[in-house]
Amino acid sequence: VQDGSLIPRFGRARRDPTLAVLEGFHPLKHALRFRAELQEVVCRDQAALEALAGQLAPDLLEPMRQLARPIAAEVFEKLAPLPPNTGVMAIASRPHIEALALLRAPRQAPIIVLEDPRDLGNIGACVRVAAAADAAGVLSTGSHDPWHPDALRGGAGLHFALPVARLDQLAALEQREGPLLALDPEGEPLDPLTLDPGSLLAFGTERHGLSEQLLASADARISIPMRAGVSSLNLATSVAAVLFAWRLASGDAPRRLS
Ligand SMILES: C[S@@+](CC[C@H](N)C(=O)[O-])C[C@H]1O[C@@H](n2cnc3c(N)ncnc32)[C@H](O)[C@@H]1O
């Protein structure tokens, strides 16, 4: 592949729902650790990439050395609106996720449902903490693609560590296995000891919270207690608070990767 043809190739990959564009070292690192299928890995400077891998992810030094190919700096700069400082970008295949099958399957850990999240960095931060807590998946409604390169950047590529998919219709939640719990500052205070691990935990949009439709179909409304005068937590922060309250209370912390 000629360097110049990479510019339209990355452009097409951004619009292709079967592909994921990884901008920077951390998304590539997690894609490799969680066995993504890489189609193209390009870097600005091979020696600099190997030095970074040696420092931050020695386990991946060899695969990165074999996969990454150096390209002209002026081409690299045109592969993303904001080329990453770490000087590496990649195209990977997205895993195929059946959102409905995920909803219907019995599970040992909650699924995070994000209703119409507006901020791609926030979506990524939710995926990242859900992966860290070993949640069963992240489903999002609304117009944003949870696999958008900016969400992958915010999630440090941890989309490859658990199922992440768009849910076309809120009504699909009716087919769920397990209770639907709406996280809402007006709900009953969270008791992590009684949280059903097979729950779907629904979080609302950044500005307006959960819709009436979702609240009406929920089995319960739960709040994260806050100091008086604070109206709400940030979306990803609230996902983190609930998942780790549950994890720590159950005494079943996720294991470290060997
Ligand atoms: C930035 S908040 C939305 C704020 C919105 N004005 C509201 O009142 O819901 C985004 C989402 O985070 C969750 N959230 C934030 N703080 C919360 C809290 N203290 N208790 C429960 N959920 C919370 C909710 O799901 C909320 O819809």
Side-chain angles (χ1 to χ4, degrees):
V1 183
Q2 294 293 306
D3 282 8
S5 70
L6 287 167
I7 300 169
R9 183 156 184 227
F10 270 74
R12 282 193 303 276
R14 288 177 176 281
R15 297 185 296 277
D16 186 334
T18 68
L19 297 176
V21 173
L22 309 175
E23 298 175 354
F25 184 84
H26 297 286
L28 175 61
K29 173 184 74 180
H30 285 127
L32 285 169
R33 280 210 186 124
F34 290 97
R35 299 187 176 78
E37 189 187 307
L38 274 308
Q39 298 195 3
E40 184 77 65
V41 183
V42 295
C43 65
R44 213 165 19 203
D45 177 336
Q46 184 96 28
L49 176 62
E50 289 180 15
L52 202 59
Q55 203 185 347
L56 300 178
D59 55 316
L60 300 174
L61 177 56
E62 203 42 49
M64 284 203 192
R65 185 177 279 150
Q66 283 176 20
L67 284 168
R69 67 184 175 97
I71 59 169
E74 59 272 23
V75 173
F76 187 88
E77 298 309 314
K78 293 192 179 117
L79 299 185
L82 191 65
N85 291 335
T86 48
V88 64
M89 275 187 260
I91 298 174
S93 306
R94 290 191 201 189
H96 180 72
I97 311 289
E98 281 289 346
L100 273 180
L102 187 67
L103 277 177
R104 289 178 185 145
R107 66 194 79 86
Q108 305 299 319
I111 290 179
I112 301 301
V113 177
L114 304 175
E115 189 180 20
D116 194 18
R118 306 309 307 156
D119 184 283
L120 291 163
N122 239 347
I123 298 175
C126 293
V127 170
R128 188 173 186 168
V129 73
D134 208 5
V138 177
L139 297 174
S140 69
T141 70
S143 57
H144 278 325
D145 176 8
W147 284 81
H148 186 285
D150 291 354
L152 279 157
R153 210 163 168 154
L158 282 158
H159 293 59
F160 294 98
L162 78 176
V164 176
R166 184 131 114 212
L167 196 60
D168 293 334
Q169 301 285 337
L170 210 51
L173 291 175
E174 296 305 328
Q175 300 186 40
R176 68 183 175 269
E177 169 77 25
L180 175 63
L181 308 180
L183 270 294
D184 177 18
E186 304 298 316
E188 289 296 312
L190 167 71
D191 175 359
L193 282 172
T194 61
L195 194 90
D196 182 337
S199 302
L200 278 85
L201 303 174
F203 297 82
T205 190
E206 287 88 338
R207 185 166 302 173
H208 303 295
L210 288 164
S211 67
E212 286 307 321
Q213 186 190 350
L214 196 143
L215 288 169
S217 58
D219 298 294
R221 295 186 194 190
I222 296 177
S223 66
I224 304 160
M226 297 181 296
R227 178 180 173 179
V230 178
S231 349
S232 69
L233 295 168
N234 156 275
L235 172 60
T237 309
S238 58
V239 173
V242 177
L243 281 179
F244 276 95
W246 161 66
R247 271 293 180 201
L248 295 170
S250 67
D252 179 25
R255 285 178 303 278
R256 289 183 67 83
L257 283 173
S258 54

